[in-house]
Amino acid sequence: MHSRPSLSLWLAHLESLHPRGQGGIELGLERVRQVQRELAQDMQCPVIIVGGTNGKGSTCAYLEAIYSFAGYHVGCYTSPHLLEYNERVRIDRQPVSDAALCTAFARVEAARQTAGKVALTYFEFGTLAAVEVFLAQQVEVLILEVGLGGRLDAVNAYAPDCAIVTGIALDHTDWLGSTREAIGFEKAGIFRRDRPAICADPDPPRSLLEYAQAVAADLKLLGRDFGYFGNLQQWTFWTRGGQRRGGLAHPALRGAGQLANASAALAAVDSLRQQLPVSMQAMRRGLSEVKLPGRFQILPGRPAVILDVAHNPQAVTGLADKLAGMPFSARTIAVVGMLADKDIAGSLAPLAGKVDCWLLADLDVARGASSQTLASVVSRAALGGKTECFASPTLAFERSAELAGENDRIVVFGSFYTVAAVMRNRQHGR
């Protein structure tokens, strides 16, 4: 590499370190810890780690917004990104600069070499670099989103002052196990002794409860230790300690599951109030002004275009519920691209009988499922509607624009890659 590599060169380098490139998954903490020790990373601020099958990104976004409006200098690390890598590493709700990332990548690379040329994955290298950025900027609170699982995820090399598991459903079964019990154990791996461990799953697996007990975490369960109630106009957050925060406006992020995510965020804020006091006004603003692209994002104009990164059965069930709650549409046109290692049949099933036309797309990534595979699932499961196949989400979306009348709606879902392709298409005004 030449002396001042660009961000794109660094990202190419990250991909080259692991035999499976950007999609390379190799769970375990030893590689990260070797380089972490070399970097002498020492956290001086409270750390919140957020895991779970669905709702991680939303919960991180609530926390990031609440603490920012409370006046704290906030670092937030999430994945994957939609359009630019910088989206993963944010300070005070803004993506950091290429220069800040390149400086951090250079420090991680030097430490990796000194530690014996450790073969970090793309995600591991990125996690170490994100923390380097946050340390250099001296953030006052740090929010880290788990990439996959929890127990063996690179983020878990950092000790959380508070850990959140949003919900547990089947996803990444090749890595985490094929039952909620197996997955619950992996997710609970972010819990720590005597630290708040918040679970927003209404029916947590026994494995999660047992893990929390075994490590003596301070477990707080939705419905037992904190929760919510409300109507269409407003809602109330409560804790077992008798605290109530009422008259809350519904979060800016839509959907029934968002009150559980928002409650988990408020439970975390409540548990860290000694270290990080937060005003009621900051909580209200954080919930009402939060932004998270690609989560039931409705684009302006007609026909209605809805972008949602839902890619597993639980998330698509939520998407189907939100669509049912929208005003009448003459027809629903779905633009879908998915990864082959997802539960494709289970993910498309919640939309049975609800889609008039399926525009199915190949994804140009190693793990991408072919549009023909998706079409055969729609056909075999008798989901209804016509199907057409395309070489990319962009082509499928362009076809949807030809087909849709102004009273129809276009729903783009199935993968971050699918939503990102359509976002790029819209950005370029095509």
Side-chain angles (χ1 to χ4, degrees), residues 55-63 66 164 166 198 200 222 226-228 235-238 245 248-253 255-270 283 286-288 290:
K56 297 192 295 285
S58 303
T59 305
C60 287
Y62 290 130
L63 289 165
I66 288 167
I164 302 173
T166 54
I198 292 160
L222 178 69
F226 70 94
Y228 60 89
W235 66 289
T236 296
F237 169 76
W238 59 265
R245 295 198 167 91
L248 297 169
H250 280 269
L253 303 179
Q258 288 303 341
L259 286 183
N261 296 335
S263 294
L266 291 183
V269 168
D270 188 59
M283 290 185 207
L287 295 172
S288 63
V290 68

Side-chain angles (χ1 to χ4, degrees), residues 36 41-43 77 89 104 108 125-137 139 142 144 158:
Q36 189 185 40
Q41 292 183 336
D42 181 23
M43 301 307 237
Y77 174 60
V89 186
V108 174
F125 201 117
T127 302
L128 288 158
V131 172
E132 283 297 298
V133 172
F134 298 135
L135 288 169
Q137 294 282 332
V139 298
L142 181 51
L144 301 174
Y158 300 93

Side-chain angles (χ1 to χ4, degrees), residues 23 25 27 52-54 56 79-80 145-150 153 169-179 182-184 186-187 309 311-313 339-344 347 367 415-417:
I25 297 168
L27 298 177
T53 307
N54 296 306
K56 297 192 295 285
S79 62
E145 181 189 356
V146 168
L148 195 160
D153 186 82
L170 300 187
D171 199 3
H172 300 294
T173 50
D174 292 355
W175 300 100
L176 303 178
S178 57
T179 65
I183 293 171
E186 295 297 332
K187 303 280 184 203
V309 295
H311 55 258
N312 58 47
L339 297 178
D341 55 10
K342 298 298 174 189
D343 176 1
I344 294 171
S347 298
R367 292 158 60 206
S415 171
F416 276 82
Y417 294 108

Side-chain angles (χ1 to χ4, degrees), residues 228-278:
Y228 60 89
F229 58 87
N231 56 34
L232 290 173
Q233 278 70 48
Q234 58 184 32
W235 66 289
T236 296
F237 169 76
W238 59 265
T239 67
R240 193 172 53 174
Q243 245 185 340
R244 283 198 175 188
R245 295 198 167 91
L248 297 169
H250 280 269
L253 303 179
R254 298 158 179 257
Q258 288 303 341
L259 286 183
N261 296 335
S263 294
L266 291 183
V269 168
D270 188 59
S271 70
L272 293 174
R273 65 187 180 279
Q274 299 300 324
Q275 296 133 286
L276 299 165
V278 169

Side-chain angles (χ1 to χ4, degrees), residues 299-371:
L299 302 181
R302 297 181 78 174
V305 176
I306 299 121
L307 306 179
D308 200 299
V309 295
H311 55 258
N312 58 47
Q314 186 187 48
V316 181
T317 298
L319 169 60
D321 291 345
K322 283 176 264 193
L323 291 171
M326 284 182 77
F328 171 79
S329 292
R331 291 186 308 157
T332 298
I333 297 165
V335 173
V336 187
M338 292 191 71
L339 297 178
D341 55 10
K342 298 298 174 189
D343 176 1
I344 294 171
S347 298
L348 299 185
L351 289 168
K354 297 172 183 173
V355 173
D356 298 281
C357 186
W358 298 87
L359 305 180
L360 307 165
D362 298 344
L363 290 184
D364 187 22
V365 291
R367 292 158 60 206
S370 74
S371 55

Side-chain angles (χ1 to χ4, degrees), residues 109-144:
E109 178 61 13
R112 186 185 79 81
Q113 294 286 349
T114 311
K117 300 189 176 175
V118 180
L120 296 170
T121 67
Y122 182 94
F123 183 75
E124 289 168 344
F125 201 117
T127 302
L128 288 158
V131 172
E132 283 297 298
V133 172
F134 298 135
L135 288 169
Q137 294 282 332
Q138 297 182 306
V139 298
E140 295 168 302
V141 55
L142 181 51
I143 301 152
L144 301 174

